[in-house]
């Protein structure tokens, strides 16, 4: 970065520029800044091992080299854990590298030159990996024991309304929030719409708007 500063100003601007760049890299989140630094260090090691500069200036089409890095990261060869990782991990890593290069006054090579759009080959690759990944393990909105208790109360009461309410609670818990994780949805996670819902009474469809 100092190379872009006139020689007569470098000594005077060295410390202020270092502080400003540190603030820009941290952006209020020191932990994320450390993750960015670690990702960039792994990128530099990978580039050095292959005899190329981290800015990939020698490439007419740097995306090919980037995709190789992402694939090895995905497989675990370059990932810190040494194990296969989800799509989000190489996505974060290569974004951190691009952002670091921008802070250094260089081009974020993920982007199509002259635009803010990530190269389609990168986004398509990440989309494919995301579809291959298993559903994330999320914290449930309520303990499942609550549903079991509600079911027991409804069954003991025998009321049609209470039994229907209990069943709707189970449906909402497992299916309405993220059906792509529990149903055979081809396009991944998507929400149910009202038009996807049917209410049946002895085999007859009920009108949702008047029921």
């Amino acid at each position: 970065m100092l190379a872009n500063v006139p020689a007569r100003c470098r000594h005077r601007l060295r410390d202020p520029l270092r502080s400003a760049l540190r603030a820009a890299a941290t952006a209020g989140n020191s932990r994320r800044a450390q993750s960015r630094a670690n990702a960039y260090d792994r990128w530099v090691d990978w580039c050095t091992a292959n005899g190329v500069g981290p800015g990939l200036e020698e490439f007419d089409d740097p995306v090919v080299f980037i995709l190789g890095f992402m694939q090895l990261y995905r497989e675990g060869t370059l990932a810190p854990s040494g194990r296969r990782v989800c799509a989000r991990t190489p996505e974060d890593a290569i974004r951190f590298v691009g952002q670091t290069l921008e802070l250094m006054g260089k081009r974020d090579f993920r982007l199509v030159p002259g635009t803010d759009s990530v190269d389609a080959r990168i986004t398509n690759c990440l989309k494919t990996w995301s579809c291959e990944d298993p559903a994330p393990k999320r914290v449930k909105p309520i303990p499942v024991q609550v549903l079991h208790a509600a079911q027991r109360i409804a069954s003991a009461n025998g009321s049609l309304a209470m039994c229907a309410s209990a069943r709707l609670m189970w449906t909402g818990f497992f299916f309405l929030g993220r059906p792509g994780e529990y149903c055979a949805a081809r396009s991944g996670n998507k929400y149910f719409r009202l038009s996807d819902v049917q209410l049946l009474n002895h085999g007859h469809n009920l009108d949702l708007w008047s029921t």
Side-chain angles (χ1 to χ4, degrees), residues 56-76:
L56 304 186
E57 291 88 353
E58 55 266 79
F59 285 86
D60 292 329
D61 182 12
V63 174
V64 176
F65 190 79
I66 297 169
L67 290 173
F69 174 81
M70 291 169 56
Q71 180 64 43
L72 291 173
Y73 214 107
R74 163 81 164 169
E75 295 173 357

Side-chain angles (χ1 to χ4, degrees), residues 39-47 54 56 65 69 94 97 109:
Y40 186 73
D41 288 343
R42 282 188 290 274
W43 169 257
V44 171
D45 290 342
W46 161 246
C47 290
L56 304 186
F65 190 79
F69 174 81
I94 201 65
V97 171
F109 44 48

Side-chain angles (χ1 to χ4, degrees), residues 103-135:
L103 288 172
M104 297 168 63
K106 299 182 179 180
R107 184 174 76 86
D108 183 347
F109 44 48
R110 299 173 305 138
L111 307 181
V112 177
T115 75
D116 293 327
S117 301
V118 176
D119 189 282
R121 289 168 292 179
I122 295 176
T123 56
N124 290 342
C125 182
L126 292 170
K127 183 176 181 180
T128 299
W129 290 346
S130 180
C131 292
E132 295 173 351
D133 287 341

Side-chain angles (χ1 to χ4, degrees), residues 133-184:
D133 287 341
K137 296 180 179 179
R138 294 187 174 93
V139 176
K140 303 300 183 185
I142 59 173
V144 72
Q145 291 83 354
V146 173
L147 298 179
H148 285 294
Q151 185 66 60
R152 286 195 299 270
I153 293 172
S155 299
N157 180 277
S159 164
L160 181 61
M162 291 192 68
C163 290
S165 297
R167 291 179 181 179
L168 286 173
M169 289 172 65
W170 284 106
T171 301
F173 183 80
F174 282 109
F175 294 98
L176 294 182
R178 291 185 174 89
E181 296 182 14
Y182 298 100
C183 303

